[in-house]
Amino acid sequence: MNIMRNDKVVLIKGMDGFKKVGETFEIANITDTKIILREVTSKVAVGAIDIDAFEAHFKKAEEVSGWLSWENLVDRTGNVVAHYRTNGKKVQVRTPDGYRAETTCHNADDFNLFFGIQLAYNRCVMKSLNDEEAELVAMIEDLESELNVVRSAQSETKHTIKMMINSLELPQEH
């Protein structure tokens, strides 16, 4: 791959300090043995990659087409909470319990992988919470129905007890 300073490259396979597959970097400098990468917007250097390892983990941004592979999305404790993939314009997230969501970068917007992953993940969480709410509402409705049956039975039994007591002949005084 022919690269020059200021070219944009995309991480296609995680390594060492570079874990967020799909993230875009800019070539800051090239030495005899290393390629120095920086963030695209802030221009802050983020790492140096051995030239030999570079091609196995990065592609030029314009060469990336289609969806990259699904990657683990982990929480702060290292637990896998979902999987994500990107094509450089969209991010898709899927959770282990079957929820899926997608975010799209519009033409005027700069693609931000981190933002896209978080937004799509939170959309999955919202879908899960909506389903949980619907289940709880259904349970409440079932319980209210059962409670009404019990209250009706209590009322009928109370009436029966009253009728039984009223039907007793009271002893007469002499």
Side-chain angles (χ1 to χ4, degrees), residues 7 12 33 58 71 107 145 150 159 168 174:
D7 280 351
I12 59 167
T33 60
F58 291 89
E71 298 294 328
N107 292 338
S145 177
V150 168
H159 178 70
L168 289 177
H174 296 299

Side-chain angles (χ1 to χ4, degrees), residues 67-91:
W67 292 98
L68 296 177
S69 62
W70 287 99
E71 298 294 328
N72 291 340
L73 181 59
V74 295
D75 63 12
R76 293 178 185 196
T77 60
N79 296 319
V80 175
V81 295
H83 299 90
Y84 77 92
R85 69 180 182 170
T86 183
N87 67 2
K89 288 289 181 187
K90 294 181 181 182
V91 174

Side-chain angles (χ1 to χ4, degrees), residues 126-160:
M126 194 65 191
K127 287 178 179 181
S128 173
L129 291 171
N130 289 342
D131 285 354
E132 190 174 338
E133 177 189 30
E135 288 177 21
L136 291 172
V137 166
M139 287 173 61
I140 289 169
E141 289 171 355
D142 289 345
L143 290 172
E144 284 177 342
S145 177
E146 288 182 38
L147 182 59
N148 287 336
V149 168
V150 168
R151 286 181 175 161
S152 176
Q154 285 175 324
S155 178
E156 288 176 21
T157 305
K158 184 176 181 181
H159 178 70
T160 300

Side-chain angles (χ1 to χ4, degrees), residues 169-174:
E169 290 184 34
L170 296 176
Q172 303 210 354
E173 288 185 33
H174 296 299

Side-chain angles (χ1 to χ4, degrees), residues 25-141:
F25 298 94
E26 192 172 80
I27 304 293
N29 203 355
I30 302 170
T31 70
D32 291 340
T33 60
K34 303 275 187 189
I35 296 173
I36 314 301
L37 298 176
R38 62 183 174 202
E39 290 183 349
V40 174
T41 52
S42 69
K43 307 295 185 195
V44 172
V46 294
I49 311 299
D50 287 332
I51 288 177
D52 296 336
F54 184 79
E55 285 193 38
H57 297 277
F58 291 89
K59 277 189 179 180
K60 288 179 85 168
E62 58 267 14
E63 293 175 4
V64 175
S65 63
W67 292 98
L68 296 177
S69 62
W70 287 99
E71 298 294 328
N72 291 340
L73 181 59
V74 295
D75 63 12
R76 293 178 185 196
T77 60
N79 296 319
V80 175
V81 295
H83 299 90
Y84 77 92
R85 69 180 182 170
T86 183
N87 67 2
K89 288 289 181 187
K90 294 181 181 182
V91 174
Q92 292 180 338
V93 171
R94 65 182 183 196
T95 61
D97 51 357
Y99 294 97
R100 293 178 70 113
E102 182 174 284
T103 57
T104 301
C105 179
H106 297 288
N107 292 338
D109 298 336
D110 289 331
F111 180 71
N112 183 323
L113 179 65
F114 181 74
F115 183 86
I117 291 170
Q118 288 206 317
L119 181 58
Y121 176 72
N122 280 304
R123 286 178 175 166
C124 286
V125 169
M126 194 65 191
K127 287 178 179 181
S128 173
L129 291 171
N130 289 342
D131 285 354
E132 190 174 338
E133 177 189 30
E135 288 177 21
L136 291 172
V137 166
M139 287 173 61
I140 289 169
E141 289 171 355

